[in-house]
Amino acid sequence: MMDLLIIGLISILGQAVLLRELSVAFYGIELIYVLSMGIWLVWTALGAVIGRRNLSPSSTWIQFFFLLFSLLLPADVVFIRSIRTIFSPVPGAYLPFTHQILAMSAALLPIGLLSGLIFQWAAKLYLVGGRTLARAYALESAGGLAGGLCATLFLRFGLQNLTIAILCALFALSAVLAGREKNRGIRIAAAAAGAMAFILLWRAGPIDRAMTAWTHPNLLATQDTPYCRITVTQQGGQIAVYENDALSFETEGTEAEEFVHMAALMHPRPARVLILGGGIEGTVREILKHAPAQVDYVELNPAMLTMVAPNLPRELQEPLHAPSVRVTVADARRFLRSAGLFDLILIGMPEPDSGQANRFYTREFFEQCAAHLSPDGILAFRLKSAENFWTSQQAGRAVSIYRALRAVLPQVQVLPGGTSIFAASMQPLPKDPALLSSRLEARGISTRFVSAPYIHYLYTNDRYFKISHLLDTESAPLNTDVHPICYQYTLMIWLSKFYPGLAVLDLSSLVAWGRSHQPFLWIVALALPLLFVICGRRPPLRRALLVGIAAFVGMVLETSFVLYYQVKSGILYQDIGILLMGFMAGLALGALVTERHVFARMRGMPRWYGLVLCAGFTLFSMVTSLSIRAGAIDGLAEITGLLLITGFLVAAIFAYASLESDQDQRNMVAPLYAADLIGGCMGSVASTLLLIPIAGLVATAASMAPLALLSILLLRWKGNG
């Protein structure tokens, strides 16, 4: 029993450690995180299948695997941090995409295989006493719940990722030292490994800095935060700040100057200014040159103020403490719920390359900002683009945001460049460069880059007119909270760095393709039930497919709930931990209820119970879709409860599939656990990369209803085994 709990704990905690390291190693691209999760589940499923014919695994071997896990996890962290040093001769350059996939696979292979293998063998030992696979699954899920709690609390209290990896290794070693099997050699090795782990724990800080210096030789400071890893370097008087190793800003740049002044000069006299993110990179300093009466600067990550700001030059630190500046640590969308009116709102959020960032470029967010603008107020933000030519992906992303902006604020002006500036208002915006230049002179503003000739150039060069025409004539889906199409465009832009042909591919065109090829879709829709009926004639395949479909549907709904909460509430990392713990608690509860209150009381698994579960999943998917459409759910308690129901249904179907046959439970451990992991992997990748970006949250949740309904064909009926 204890082994199963610890397996769940170290699997989830170890997974969190490695995925965080991989995210940093590949510059925080969210696609990498999704692919890493998929690869992890595949390796874990493979580990569950290895040695499946061994029905009597040894406790000694299980203890040895725990020992191996404790040694490999810290070593894996070292390997991941050295990936770019080993495989890339150019510092800061992206590895070829195939090399990234291979590096991810190699990094996740040992721990993933061990996680699956240990569970399979520990579950078989647990079943020897006449217990059920459902209860073993529940115990492992309960351990996963504890692992998620540890991952949340450790980061919340400031523990660094390397420290968490060492603590996870110690948890694995505790399973060896507390085990009933008294193998002297393994226990001595575990004691030695434990002593080494405590030494590493004592020196974790210096070791962490030394490894970070492999890719940042001029390191000043580094810190893992609940949002990203922040690294600060200094060379020749220039300070550079990195978020997940991607350059966030550097102190010698002029981007903040250009953004702030071109937006502020459009307003006759901005008295009240709101800055949402990015204030420490020079935005606050530059806006103070316009002498506003009040500046509100909202920063999401407190480490930007406590760790980064003290390392910045004095001319960037002092403006943060000016009498007219008020600094608030909060999520921007939460802050706006109780904010007043502003003459100028500057959005300094990161690129919309994740669910977290995309929520600051949607119609709903622009509506929220517009509600806090004065009658002649201006909203402005930046978006990376290209100086002379926009690919179809770049154009699609810009148009999707432009349409969302114009749906709220009809007067929109775009100043093109390597970083384009979008400005919008209810009133017409000035387009006369002479007027803006006169305001620059009248306010006595001294700049390095923005000048009267530069302003004249921006408004009179041919790019200004071409981009305006493109944005008004091109079409793209409007970027919204529940249909984050901009996120899809950003992923494709990143992939086109490695595969240039993707630069002209528009995944949203798949919707139009589907409408024009309806006969083909009908054939697929009719073939799927036939496939389920055929699989239903082979009991092992039927059970595995039933579990895989449940895991697929559950993972799609879980992703939808998490993204929806992220969009609506500006999720903090501790909230993410609570949400995932809700899902894990549902897994444990679903398996236990099915095994103890259905199977045990009725001395068998009734067929009607499977029918109720599949029908319940169908109804739940439909209710989820309607609730998201109506905006009826957004609180932490509500979403956590829905995730608990999702996990309950997934685990209950897993338990049903394992208990509806009289076969030896040990024969079902490997195939059903592997099917559960593979289904979850496919659901995670499909929902994040295809379903949600293309169809949106509402349609994605609704599409799970027919799939759950079709799984009724996989239930055990008379004569099908």
Side-chain angles (χ1 to χ4, degrees), residues 48-80:
V49 173
I50 293 175
R52 65 186 183 275
R53 297 187 182 279
N54 186 352
L55 297 182
S56 300
S58 166
S59 297
T60 301
W61 275 104
I62 293 176
Q63 289 190 340
F64 173 75
F65 290 146
F66 275 122
L67 173 62
L68 194 59
F69 186 103
S70 70
L71 298 174
L72 288 176
L73 183 62
D76 226 348
V77 172
V78 175
F79 170 73
I80 293 172

Side-chain angles (χ1 to χ4, degrees), residues 285-331:
R285 177 188 63 184
E286 298 301 324
I287 197 61
L288 288 178
K289 295 178 181 179
H290 294 263
Q294 180 179 332
V295 176
D296 280 281
Y297 165 37
V298 180
E299 177 58 58
L300 175 66
N301 194 342
M304 285 292 184
L305 302 171
T306 59
M307 192 269 279
V308 176
N311 288 293
L312 296 177
R314 180 177 299 177
E315 60 267 22
L316 291 179
Q317 292 186 45
E318 290 180 349
L320 299 176
H321 305 287
S324 60
V325 176
R326 181 174 62 182
V327 181
T328 304
V329 177
D331 173 72

Side-chain angles (χ1 to χ4, degrees), residues 63 140 242 264 519 553 684:
Q63 289 190 340
E140 193 255 357
Y242 300 84
V553 174
S684 174

Side-chain angles (χ1 to χ4, degrees), residues 435-716:
L435 173 62
L436 300 180
S437 298
S438 65
R439 288 176 178 174
L440 181 70
E441 182 179 358
R443 296 175 189 177
I445 295 174
S446 174
T447 65
R448 292 181 295 165
F449 188 71
V450 177
S451 61
Y454 177 72
I455 295 173
H456 179 80
Y457 164 76
L458 276 182
Y459 279 89
T460 57
N461 75 84
D462 59 343
R463 299 187 191 94
Y464 174 78
F465 301 101
K466 287 181 178 179
I467 293 303
S468 297
H469 177 73
L470 182 148
L471 293 172
D472 287 328
T473 56
E474 290 290 326
S475 62
L478 189 145
N479 195 42
T480 66
D481 282 350
V482 297
H483 191 185
I485 188 66
C486 183
Y487 175 43
Q488 175 229 115
Y489 283 122
T490 303
L491 288 179
M492 296 304 294
I493 291 170
W494 183 76
L495 282 172
S496 67
K497 298 177 185 290
F498 311 101
Y499 304 102
L502 295 178
V504 297
L505 177 64
D506 187 354
L507 290 181
S508 61
S509 63
L510 292 176
V511 177
W513 181 90
R515 291 171 181 167
S516 61
H517 293 77
Q518 289 189 9
F520 173 78
L521 296 180
W522 277 110
I523 293 173
V524 173
L526 293 174
L528 193 60
L530 181 61
L531 175 65
F532 280 23
V533 170
I534 294 173
C535 291
R537 296 181 177 276
R538 302 189 61 184
L541 183 58
R542 172 176 56 78
R543 287 190 289 267
L545 188 57
L546 178 62
V547 169
I549 293 296
F552 180 90
V553 174
M555 184 59 72
V556 171
L557 292 179
E558 179 189 2
T559 304
S560 300
F561 284 134
V562 171
L563 181 58
Y564 183 74
Y565 180 75
Q566 187 180 44
V567 165
K568 288 295 184 182
S569 303
I571 203 165
L572 301 176
Y573 192 83
Q574 56 264 31
D575 294 344
I576 293 178
I578 293 171
L579 293 172
L580 296 182
M581 284 188 289
F583 182 76
M584 298 302 297
L587 290 178
L589 189 62
L592 282 176
V593 167
T594 302
E595 192 265 347
R596 297 186 63 179
H597 297 285
V598 178
F599 177 76
R601 289 188 178 184
M602 298 186 178
R603 298 182 180 180
M605 184 54 62
R607 296 185 180 92
W608 62 261
Y609 187 67
L611 180 62
V612 168
L613 291 175
C614 293
F617 232 152
T618 303
L619 179 62
F620 184 66
S621 299
M622 296 172 61
V623 170
T624 296
S625 177
L626 294 173
S627 299
I628 292 176
R629 179 188 293 274
I633 51 172
D634 60 3
L636 177 61
E638 295 169 318
I639 300 293
T640 303
L642 292 171
L643 282 168
L644 188 145
I645 295 173
T646 305
F648 181 94
L649 290 169
V650 171
I653 290 176
F654 180 95
Y656 172 86
S658 69
L659 295 169
E660 51 106 54
S661 172
D662 295 331
Q663 291 188 22
D664 190 336
Q665 289 276 288
R666 291 175 296 175
N667 288 322
M668 297 186 187
V669 174
L672 293 189
Y673 190 62
D676 179 63
L677 294 169
I678 294 297
C681 168
M682 295 175 65
S684 174
V685 174
S687 60
T688 308
L689 302 185
L690 292 174
L691 295 175
I692 293 175
I694 294 175
L697 291 171
V698 174
T700 295
S703 67
M704 294 300 101
L707 186 58
L709 186 62
L710 281 175
S711 63
I712 292 176
L713 298 174
L714 296 170
L715 299 180
R716 180 186 180 185

Side-chain angles (χ1 to χ4, degrees), residues 114-132:
L114 278 175
S115 297
L117 183 58
I118 297 174
F119 172 79
Q120 180 205 161
W121 282 20
K124 287 178 178 177
L125 279 177
Y126 181 76
L127 298 179
V128 170
R131 305 178 184 92
T132 64

Side-chain angles (χ1 to χ4, degrees), residues 18 31 110 131 151 217 269 273 282 442:
L18 295 182
L31 174 61
R131 305 178 184 92
R269 177 61 65 181
V273 179

